[in-house]
C-alpha cells in the first residue's frame, strides 16, 4: 500500500514539474516586448505607415486574442471585466504596437511576422458628422451613444469603419458604420 502511494506521489510530482516547466516556455496572448525584440521589418513598416506618433509600447500577440478583444481594459466599458481563458502559443505570430497619433486617442496596430499590416483600432473621442446625422435620421434617434467608440482600419476594407454602442432603456446594440453613416452591422447585446 505504501509503495503504491509513493508511486502515485512521484507520478504526480513528475507530471507537475513537466507541465510547469513546459508552461514557462509559452507566450501569453499579449506579452510586453522591448523594441529590440520586434523584427526590423515590422518596425520599418510601422514607421512608414505611422510616422511622428508617440509610441506607447510593443507586444507579442495572436489573432484569436486580437479578434476577441482580450486587451488591457479596451472594452471593459462595453462588456465588463473579461475572465475568459484563451490558448497560449510557443512563439508569437503577430506583433501589436500601441501608439498615440491624435491627442486623447489611443491606437493599436497589428502586424504579422513578415511585416504585413493586419488592422489598426483607434479608441476615438467622437463620431463623424455623417454618422451623427444618420443616427438622428434613423430609429436610433434619441438613443444614448456610449463613450467607448473606435475606428477600425484594415487593408482588407476599402473604408474606415466606426464601432460604438447605443442604448435605450434595457436595449443595447453595437453598431458598425462607415464615416458617411451607412450601417455596416448591428449586433444586439443581451443584458
Amino acid at each position: 500500500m505504501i509503495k503504491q502511494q509513493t508511486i502515485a506521489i512521484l507520478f504526480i510530482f513528475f507530471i507537475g514539474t513537466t507541465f510547469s516547466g513546459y508552461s514557462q516556455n509559452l507566450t501569453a496572448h499579449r506579452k510586453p516586448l522591448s523594441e529590440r525584440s520586434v523584427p526590423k521589418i515590422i518596425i520599418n513598416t510601422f514607421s512608414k505607415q505611422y510616422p511622428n506618433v508617440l509610441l506607447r509600447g510593443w507586444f507579442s500577440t495572436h489573432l484569436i486574442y486580437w479578434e476577441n478583444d482580450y486587451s488591457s481594459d479596451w472594452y471593459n466599458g462595453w462588456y465588463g471585466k473579461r475572465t475568459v481563458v484563451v490558448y497560449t502559443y510557443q512563439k508569437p505570430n503577430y506583433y501589436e504596437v500601441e501608439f498615440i497619433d491624435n491627442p486623447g486617442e489611443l491606437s493599436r496596430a497589428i502586424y504579422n511576422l513578415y511585416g504585413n499590416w493586419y488592422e489598426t483600432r483607434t479608441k476615438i473621442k467622437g463620431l463623424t458628422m455623417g454618422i451623427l446625422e444618420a443616427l438622428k435620421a434613423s430609429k436610433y434617434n434619441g438613443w444614448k451613444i456610449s463613450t467607448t467608440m473606435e475606428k477600425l482600419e484594415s487593408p482588407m476594407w476599402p473604408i474606415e469603419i466606426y464601432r460604438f454602442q447605443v442604448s435605450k432603456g434595457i436595449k443595447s446594440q453595437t453598431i458598425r458604420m462607415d464615416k458617411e453613416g451607412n450601417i455596416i452591422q448591428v449586433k444586439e447585446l443581451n443584458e
Side-chain angles (χ1 to χ4, degrees), residues 53-185:
V53 297
L54 177 62
L55 185 67
R56 294 264 318 242
W58 285 96
F59 303 86
S60 64
T61 191
H62 303 280
L63 283 185
I64 187 170
Y65 150 83
W66 181 263
E67 290 169 350
N68 289 301
D69 298 321
Y70 297 114
S71 62
S72 58
D73 302 338
W74 191 271
Y75 296 105
N76 284 354
W78 292 4
Y79 304 117
K81 189 88 173 143
R82 293 188 175 205
T83 58
V84 176
V85 176
V86 291
Y87 296 105
T88 55
Y89 297 84
Q90 290 290 335
K91 293 182 181 179
N93 55 3
Y94 285 84
Y95 292 84
E96 178 183 340
V97 59
E98 279 189 2
F99 62 96
I100 297 173
D101 193 10
N102 296 313
E105 296 183 349
L106 178 64
S107 295
R108 297 166 38 219
I110 189 168
Y111 300 87
N112 70 11
L113 289 170
Y114 308 105
N116 297 313
W117 174 53
Y118 179 75
E119 185 179 273
T120 299
R121 297 178 183 190
T122 302
K123 195 179 213 181
I124 58 174
K125 295 171 94 172
L127 300 170
T128 67
M129 285 305 297
I131 292 173
L132 295 174
E133 289 171 5
L135 288 172
K136 199 178 267 190
S138 74
K139 70 177 187 177
Y140 300 108
N141 185 24
W143 288 48
K144 183 181 176 191
I145 301 172
S146 67
T147 56
T148 304
M149 299 170 260
E150 73 176 348
K151 177 175 64 173
L152 307 167
E153 301 169 89
S154 174
M156 297 173 275
W157 306 324
I159 56 175
E160 297 171 345
I161 304 294
Y162 293 80
R163 180 164 73 168
F164 54 95
Q165 184 176 321
V166 295
S167 59
K168 185 174 186 178
I170 61 169
K171 291 184 178 181
S172 187
Q173 297 179 345
T174 298
I175 300 176
R176 290 182 186 221
M177 298 177 98
D178 67 15
K179 67 182 179 182
E180 281 81 36
N182 298 308
I183 293 178
I184 308 294
Q185 180 185 40

Side-chain angles (χ1 to χ4, degrees), residues 10-30:
L10 288 173
F11 178 75
I12 291 170
F13 176 77
F14 173 75
I15 295 297
T17 57
T18 301
F19 286 113
S20 67
Y22 176 76
S23 65
Q24 290 173 359
N25 295 326
L26 297 176
T27 302
H29 271 284
R30 190 168 191 260

